[in-house]
Amino acid sequence: MIDRSDIESALTRLKQAPVGFLRQTPLWRLPGAALGVAAAEVWLKLEHLQVGGSFKARGMMNRLLAQPLTQAGVIVASGGNAGIATAAAARTLGVRCEVFVPEVSPEAKRKKLRELGADVVVTGAVYAEAYRACLARQQATGALLTHAYDQPEVVAGAGTLGAEIEAQAGVPDSVLVSVGGGGLIGGLAAWFEQRSQVVALEPETAPTLFRAREAGQPVDVAVSGIAADSLGAKRIGDIAWAVTQAQVRQALLLSDDAIARARHTLWSDFKLAVEPAAALGLAALQSGAYRPRADEKVCLIVCGANFDPSALA
C-alpha cells in the first residue's frame, strides 16, 4: 500500500533528476461536446508526450534515484514502455540497462530501446515469461531490478501525475485510467483518494483487475488483444490491488473494437498519435461503458505513444 506521503516524497526526489529529464505534460481541457460526450468538460492529460513516450518515466526515475546504483546497472522486464523509461533514466544517470521483452512487444519499442543504449533480450510469449527470465538474470548479475508496475517507488512515481493534474487545473470529478499491472491506477488512486472518482479500465482480453475483484484476490488471467503489448500483465500488482480495494469503486471492461475506434478518433479528430492503451478512456465514454453526469469534469489519461505509426494508416 502507498499513500499521498509516498507520492509527495517522490515529488521531492524527482527534483534531483537531471534537468530536462521529466516534462510537465499538457492538460487539454475541452468541452464535452467536442468529443460527443454529455459532460461539462473532458480533460486530456497528454502524458504520451512524456520523456520515453509514456508516464513510466516518472516511476522509473524515482526508483533509480531511491536506490544505490552499481556497475551492474539496472534490469527490467517490460512489454516496452517500462523498459523504454528505465533505459532512458539509466542513460541519463550513466548506468547500463538490460531489458527483457516478450515476443508480443512491437518492433518499434525494441528499436527505441536499442536507440537508448539498452541491451534487449526478446524471450517468452507474454510479459510473465519475460519477467521470469529477467529475475534469473538479475540474480546472476546483481543489477538493480525495476519492476514495470509493482514497486513502491514505481507506483509513487506514477502518482506524481495526479499531483501534476491537480496543480494544473484542480481536482477533476473523475479520472479514467487504463490498467495493465496497475502501477498507474495505483499511483493516481493513492493521490486522489476519494476526492475524485478514479475508474479502472481494461480490455476484455486482458482483465487482470476485473477478474481479481471477481475472485476476491489477485489471480492469473490469459491476456491477448489489441493492447496486450502495454496492458499485458497476467496478474494485477499487489500494490495496485491494495490501493484499488480501498480507493476505486468501478472496474470496467472494453472491447478491442471500442478501443480501436477511440484510438482512431484521437488521431483523426485531434491528431493525437497514441498506442491502444492510451485510448481506453475515450473508448469508455464513446461506448457508454462510463456515463458521466452533465456537470462532470472527467479526466482521461492519454498514457503512451510507443508504437509503429504505420498502424494508424
Side-chain angles (χ1 to χ4, degrees):
M1 189 76 167
I2 69 161
D3 58 26
R4 283 173 61 90
S5 67
D6 298 296
I7 298 167
E8 288 164 351
S9 295
L11 286 166
T12 299
R13 187 178 296 114
L14 287 172
K15 292 177 182 177
Q16 304 168 23
V19 175
F21 178 75
L22 287 178
R23 301 166 183 159
Q24 182 181 96
T25 55
L27 183 70
W28 196 3
R29 300 174 64 175
L30 299 171
L35 293 98
V37 175
E41 289 185 356
V42 176
W43 300 359
L44 302 179
K45 180 55 173 170
L46 304 182
E47 190 66 5
H48 69 297
L49 301 177
Q50 186 55 262
V51 168
S54 82
F55 73 94
K56 297 280 190 179
R58 300 171 183 269
M60 297 309 165
M61 179 57 82
N62 190 44
R63 169 73 174 167
L64 268 59
L65 290 175
Q67 299 292 331
L69 298 172
T70 69
Q71 289 186 339
V74 298
I75 190 169
V76 63
S78 166
N81 285 345
I84 290 169
T86 301
R91 184 177 70 168
T92 299
L93 296 177
V95 297
R96 70 181 301 271
C97 179
E98 191 169 13
V99 183
F100 284 67
V101 300
E103 294 164 4
V104 71
S105 63
E107 181 56 36
K109 291 186 178 181
R110 300 178 199 175
K111 180 175 182 290
K112 182 63 176 179
L113 285 166
R114 296 186 184 101
E115 289 173 352
L116 289 167
D119 296 320
V120 181
V121 180
V122 182
T123 182
V126 294
Y127 167 79
E129 294 173 6
Y131 180 61
R132 285 195 292 271
C134 174
L135 288 180
R137 175 69 172 164
Q138 188 275 333
Q139 290 170 3
T141 66
L144 176 69
L145 178 70
T146 65
H147 195 285
Y149 54 84
D150 203 23
Q151 286 171 327
E153 302 98 329
V154 170
V155 180
T160 65
L161 178 56
E164 188 169 291
I165 292 168
E166 185 169 351
Q168 289 173 309
V171 177
D173 297 305
S174 55
V175 187
L176 307 190
V177 188
S178 302
V179 177
L184 180 57
I185 196 168
L188 289 172
W191 178 261
F192 285 115
E193 298 173 319
Q194 298 299 319
R195 299 178 302 139
S196 179
Q197 179 181 206
V198 178
V199 180
L201 306 175
E202 298 178 285
E204 292 173 349
T205 50
T208 56
L209 180 57
F210 193 88
R211 296 294 176 235
R213 290 189 163 204
E214 287 183 333
Q217 62 183 3
V219 294
D220 287 347
V221 301
V223 296
S224 61
I226 190 173
D229 65 310
S230 299
L231 307 179
K234 288 181 63 177
R235 175 187 288 247
I236 194 72
D238 291 339
I239 298 171
W241 173 247
V243 174
T244 57
Q245 283 291 93
Q247 307 291 0
V248 176
R249 293 193 298 273
Q250 289 193 70
L252 307 176
L253 297 182
L254 301 164
S255 70
D256 277 5
D257 285 346
I259 296 167
R261 285 195 300 272
R263 184 191 190 198
H264 177 73
T265 298
L266 289 171
W267 170 244
S268 63
D269 293 3
F270 302 98
K271 293 300 176 278
L272 297 176
V274 301
E275 60 192 68
L280 268 70
L282 182 56
L285 295 175
Q286 287 183 329
S287 68
Y290 181 78
R291 297 182 182 276
R293 304 185 316 272
D295 62 346
E296 190 165 332
K297 296 177 181 178
V298 54
C299 182
L300 313 184
I301 307 299
V302 184
C303 54
N306 290 311
F307 70 102
D308 182 350
S310 67
L312 289 174

